[in-house]
Amino acid sequence: MYQPANAVRLHVSLAEIDPPIWRRLVVPSDWTLDRLHLVLQAAFSWTDSHLHEFRIGGLRYGDPDQLEDGFGGPQTFDYTGVRLTDFTGQDLTFTYLYDFGDDWTHVIRIEEWLSLDPLPRHAECTEGARARPPEDVGGPWSYADFLKTIRDTNHEDHSSNLRWAGGHFDPDWFDIDLINKDLRNTFRKNTSRRLHQPKPKPSGR
């Protein structure tokens, strides 16, 4: 018996970063773009402390109250009225921009429409790689400089940059269990997300 699609598998990667920072997510297809925004924040461990918007088919979607004042450009359509299911069947790639200063562009590709039974109550990360850059690091190019600095113990900014990043930063760190815990808590009130990645526990002798 035919079952209509009720979920979608998305591949999400940060643009202008090599090696890529990416996540593969399964999301209920009736969720709106404002909910997808919160899913992306959780999946990449962002802190939701900057402006954001989606760009789909040349149109701009977001919170009009935040984006209309002081930010010129195309009209902003309210993303609370747009569901992922509105794009059912389409082989679509679109973008999500977070932080209009650092310009973290997430390239989102719809990989497959799914019929799941039961439908999960929350988004799930099934695969991924590498840690998201530190908040306010300055964008992809500044992030590359940041990585060079923390790898060079002789660099004059090595210690200060490492302290700014919480005392530890591993660009290859990826904890799928921790990400899925954040995804399960995505819509809970007063949910806070760590600013820095967890420090590694000392290895036992």
Side-chain angles (χ1 to χ4, degrees), residues 3-203:
Q3 295 290 333
N6 58 8
V8 60
R9 189 173 69 230
L10 305 173
H11 184 280
V12 188
S13 61
L14 288 182
E16 310 293 341
I17 297 286
D18 186 39
I21 300 170
W22 63 278
R23 308 285 185 262
R24 178 167 280 118
L25 306 172
V26 174
V27 182
S29 59
D30 66 344
W31 284 8
T32 51
L33 292 181
D34 60 314
R35 292 170 72 87
L36 179 60
H37 150 67
L38 294 174
V39 166
L40 295 172
Q41 288 288 312
F44 284 85
S45 302
W46 295 119
T47 61
D48 199 11
S49 53
H50 298 282
L51 293 174
H52 58 275
E53 68 176 23
F54 289 91
R55 288 288 181 101
I56 306 176
L59 300 178
R60 186 184 188 200
Y61 297 90
D63 182 344
D65 292 336
Q66 290 186 353
L67 299 179
E68 287 294 297
D69 295 333
F71 290 91
Q75 176 185 356
T76 300
F77 294 92
D78 188 348
Y79 63 174
T80 63
V82 181
R83 299 181 182 275
L84 288 169
T85 193
D86 294 337
F87 309 104
T88 300
Q90 297 186 40
D91 182 14
L92 183 68
T93 298
F94 57 101
T95 60
Y96 166 77
L97 176 63
Y98 172 62
D99 188 345
F100 291 5
D102 283 8
D103 289 337
W104 296 114
T105 299
H106 303 62
V107 180
I108 305 171
R109 177 165 53 89
I110 293 178
E111 290 190 322
E112 186 176 2
W113 295 95
L114 306 170
S115 298
L116 302 181
D117 185 18
L119 176 67
R121 293 182 298 173
H122 51 76
E124 180 184 6
C125 179
T126 60
E127 293 180 90
R130 282 168 283 282
R132 57 96 169 147
E135 292 268 3
D136 302 312
V137 77
W141 297 273
S142 293
Y143 176 55
D145 292 337
F146 166 81
L147 291 180
K148 292 178 182 178
T149 299
I150 65 170
R151 287 168 177 158
D152 182 0
T153 57
N154 294 319
H155 195 286
E156 61 181 355
D157 294 327
H158 171 79
S159 296
S160 61
N161 280 1
L162 207 54
R163 285 196 302 271
W164 174 74
H168 167 78
F169 186 82
D170 178 4
D172 293 323
W173 177 78
F174 175 74
D175 188 331
I176 194 169
D177 292 332
L178 191 57
I179 288 172
N180 276 313
K181 179 181 178 181
D182 287 341
L183 286 170
R184 289 192 294 273
N185 294 329
T186 297
F187 306 120
R188 291 186 177 180
K189 293 183 179 180
N190 301 320
T191 296
S192 60
R193 199 159 294 120
R194 71 204 67 81
L195 180 61
H196 307 297
Q197 62 180 240
K199 295 181 181 179
K201 297 180 180 179
S203 57

